[in-house]
Amino acid sequence: MSIMGQSPSTPLSDCLNAVCNGRDNCVAYPDNPLYQVSWVNRYNLDFPVTPVAVTRPGSAQDVSDFIKCAVANNVKVQPKSGGHSYANYGLGGTDGELVIDLVNLQNFSMDTNTWHATIGGGTKLNDVTNRLHDNGKRAISHGTCPGVGIGGHATIGGLGPSSRMWGSCLDHVIEVEVVTADGTIQRASETENSDLFFALKGAGAGFGVITEFVVKTHPEPGDVVQYSFSLSLDSHKDLIDVFQKWQDLISDPNLDRRFGTEFVMHELGVIITATFYGTEDEWKATGIPDRIPVGNVSVVIDDWLAVIAQQAEDAALWLSEIRSAFTARSLAFRPDETLSLDTITKLMNYIDDADRGTLLWFLIFDATGGAISDIPMNATAYSHRDKIMFCQGYGIGIPTLTQNTKDFITGIINTIQGNTVQALTTYPGYVDPALQDPQVSYWGPNLNTLGQIKSKWDPNDLFHNPQSVRPAETD
């Protein structure tokens, strides 16, 4: 039912309305005056998209019934948890898809015998942190933006400061409740529907709608050392030596896993952040403070929630919640693909000389590897186990995004790739709509297996966005 009276009746809307059965805030259509603002709520305003309808299920049964409506009407489906896809893929990424917004799936429970937590598929990371804390001071590894939803995060990868110590967010997932393309509500784990479970852990959006996750948890760390150093410079050329030192540090194969760090370049210089899960004495004993460029400014925090809050601030939090028009490009690096001195020099010169088109841009390099790399490449769909560093370039348009800014960010990527022999790949959590061959870049060595699993579980490609896994070609 729309606020303005009865929506035009179609077989799809009749079906969805029957599922909702008069419940408020259960479904909305494009004729609703608040449709774009309240229901669609695009994350990246540079990508217009109009779903055929947005639903808000209250249960797995609702999800199943909505999926059956979509199948009966030949409409594609995408689930939305936090809705933070850089190209609005949680809204389908293209017009005319059915969105299943999981905002109401907020259940939480903790088994205090196993310390396994059950978490609803629409839960935001901020709430995940707080609910784990309130139920036994437990924690899992996840990213720093509080408004991101666990649904996408734990099915794409889910990277954050504690990933080198504990693995990615999806490495904590031991079981899920998922609704598949035929509308069946089922469980998936390493012992049940294990092929589907493999695909959901890295390529989830193409395989089903996860209504709840079961995750293993850790005791919260006691002491945490937070380090942030800001350097303001006249030109980015002055960062050549600083970046090389930082990259040398994170390239060390024996780098302490309790350490996470980012190198965040912006208009006025750089911020180097570091998080160390341990005491100040342990931090000093690693030798890392002497190897981080530009001095040693650290603060010890022994309150896990305060650490999470601080990291959210460091993560340019406004990008997390403010809806803006932005461009984002990214690359992933194996140990043999890091930037040479020549490439670093060309990159910094390019940034200084480019017409950036905005004052709001970031180039973020973050360290990965560690515990993530312990898990075999073919254990889950996530294929970046061999990477030690990611980079993401963002350009934000205030109020509108210019072609100059898009070209500037693309030029950064081209400068790095153009001076690297290998074709660099990309993490699907930093979705890049400009990629020529996105599925190969995202899932690489696991793509053939994923195509076969897709053919079995979703042969008609119901769960679809512009870059999701497609069914394998069958002879």
Side-chain angles (χ1 to χ4, degrees):
M1 193 79 73
S2 101
I3 309 176
M4 305 293 282
Q6 195 67 42
S7 296
S9 174
T10 66
L12 176 65
S13 66
D14 290 348
C15 185
L16 298 174
N17 291 341
V19 176
C20 286
N21 195 23
R23 283 177 285 169
D24 285 342
N25 293 316
C26 178
V27 63
Y29 304 98
D31 68 332
N32 182 322
L34 298 177
Y35 189 62
Q36 281 290 345
V37 176
S38 298
W39 288 81
V40 177
N41 192 17
R42 289 176 296 144
Y43 183 51
N44 190 343
L45 301 182
D46 197 49
F47 286 90
V49 59
T50 304
V52 67
V54 178
T55 61
R56 288 180 180 159
S59 65
Q61 187 58 55
D62 283 348
V63 174
S64 170
D65 292 340
F66 288 141
I67 285 173
K68 289 173 181 171
C69 291
V71 171
N73 291 278
N74 200 23
V75 168
K76 303 290 188 193
V77 171
Q78 279 291 266
K80 171 185 175 181
S81 182
H84 281 240
S85 164
Y86 296 166
N88 301 331
Y89 287 172
L91 303 168
T94 50
D95 289 348
E97 297 207 11
L98 178 67
V99 176
I100 299 184
D101 184 344
L102 306 177
V103 62
N104 295 324
L105 301 188
Q106 296 288 330
N107 56 307
F108 182 93
S109 62
M110 177 72 78
D111 181 334
T112 52
N113 293 316
T114 60
W115 293 112
H116 292 167
T118 299
I119 303 174
T123 312
K124 303 273 200 295
L125 297 185
N126 186 47
D127 294 322
V128 170
T129 300
N130 289 328
R131 288 167 195 172
L132 289 171
H133 175 80
D134 292 344
N135 287 271
K137 295 194 169 180
R138 307 296 292 185
I140 62 171
S141 182
H142 61 66
T144 53
C145 293
V148 166
I150 195 171
H153 202 61
T155 57
I156 284 176
L159 308 173
S162 57
S163 296
R164 296 188 66 261
M165 176 172 68
W166 285 343
S168 67
C169 188
L170 66 75
D171 293 327
H172 292 70
V173 178
I174 54 176
E175 186 182 348
V176 296
E177 179 183 75
V178 58
V179 187
T180 48
D182 60 358
T184 306
I185 302 168
Q186 44 207 344
R187 309 295 290 192
S189 66
E190 286 185 0
T191 55
E192 186 178 1
N193 297 319
S194 57
D195 57 343
L196 178 61
F197 191 58
F198 167 92
L200 292 169
K201 290 180 76 164
F207 290 87
V209 179
I210 295 180
T211 48
E212 71 176 29
F213 295 86
V214 181
V215 298
K216 62 182 182 183
T217 65
H218 310 270
E220 288 177 356
D223 291 311
V224 183
V225 177
Q226 287 277 105
Y227 167 107
S228 182
F229 192 91
S230 183
L231 195 59
S232 297
L233 298 165
D234 293 333
S235 75
H236 293 85
K237 285 190 264 300
D238 298 336
L239 287 177
I240 293 169
D241 180 54
V242 179
F243 179 81
Q244 190 171 30
K245 279 185 183 159
W246 180 86
Q247 185 180 249
D248 286 348
L249 170 65
I250 66 123
S251 300
D252 180 350
N254 299 312
L255 185 64
D256 196 300
R257 291 184 170 194
R258 294 171 292 177
F259 173 63
T261 179
E262 286 190 334
F263 189 97
V264 183
M265 292 169 54
H266 55 90
E267 181 70 19
L268 302 176
V270 68
I271 300 166
I272 298 172
T273 70
T275 306
F276 179 78
Y277 299 94
T279 64
E280 187 145 36
D281 286 345
E282 289 171 321
W283 166 233
K284 286 174 179 163
T286 65
I288 295 170
D290 304 323
R291 298 170 64 192
I292 288 194
V294 294
N296 180 7
V297 182
S298 60
V299 51
V300 182
I301 305 176
D302 57 8
D303 175 349
W304 177 243
L305 296 186
V307 170
I308 297 283
Q310 177 63 44
Q311 286 167 350
E313 249 172 74
D314 287 343
L317 222 178
W318 60 271
L319 185 63
S320 163
E321 284 315 303
I322 292 176
R323 284 4 192 191
S324 59
F326 65 94
T327 183
R329 303 293 311 275
S330 65
L331 293 169
F333 304 87
R334 294 195 309 253
D336 61 332
E337 295 170 339
T338 53
L339 279 59
S340 67
L341 178 57
D342 180 54
T343 303
I344 298 168
T345 305
K346 284 177 175 163
L347 174 64
M348 300 306 179
N349 285 329
Y350 168 78
I351 289 172
D352 281 337
D353 296 342
D355 178 354
R356 302 190 276 279
T358 180
L359 295 176
L360 274 179
W361 62 270
F362 299 93
L363 181 59
I364 303 174
F365 291 87
D366 51 302
T368 186
I372 295 176
S373 304
D374 289 346
I375 294 173
M377 184 75 82
N378 62 1
T380 70
Y382 180 78
S383 71
H384 297 283
R385 305 278 177 196
D386 55 350
K387 305 304 188 301
I388 60 164
M389 180 174 80
F390 292 108
C391 90
Q392 315 166 59
Y394 297 100
I396 298 97
I398 303 289
T400 54
L401 184 63
T402 65
Q403 191 60 44
N404 286 356
T405 299
K406 291 183 186 179
D407 292 345
F408 166 55
I409 300 298
T410 296
I412 287 175
I413 299 304
N414 291 347
T415 301
I416 297 171
Q417 178 65 81
N419 289 280
T420 308
V421 178
Q422 303 93 327
L424 298 169
T425 58
T426 302
Y427 162 54
Y430 305 148
V431 69
D432 184 343
L435 287 175
Q436 294 303 307
D437 208 351
Q439 288 89 350
V440 171
S441 190
Y442 294 152
W443 296 293
N446 292 326
L447 185 57
N448 285 343
T449 305
L450 285 167
Q452 290 160 6
I453 299 169
K454 176 81 166 175
S455 296
K456 173 182 166 185
W457 287 96
D458 185 16
N460 298 318
D461 197 22
L462 175 73
F463 300 115
H464 172 97
N465 67 52
Q467 298 181 332
S468 55
V469 173
R470 306 289 186 245
E473 302 292 325
T474 47
D475 296 330

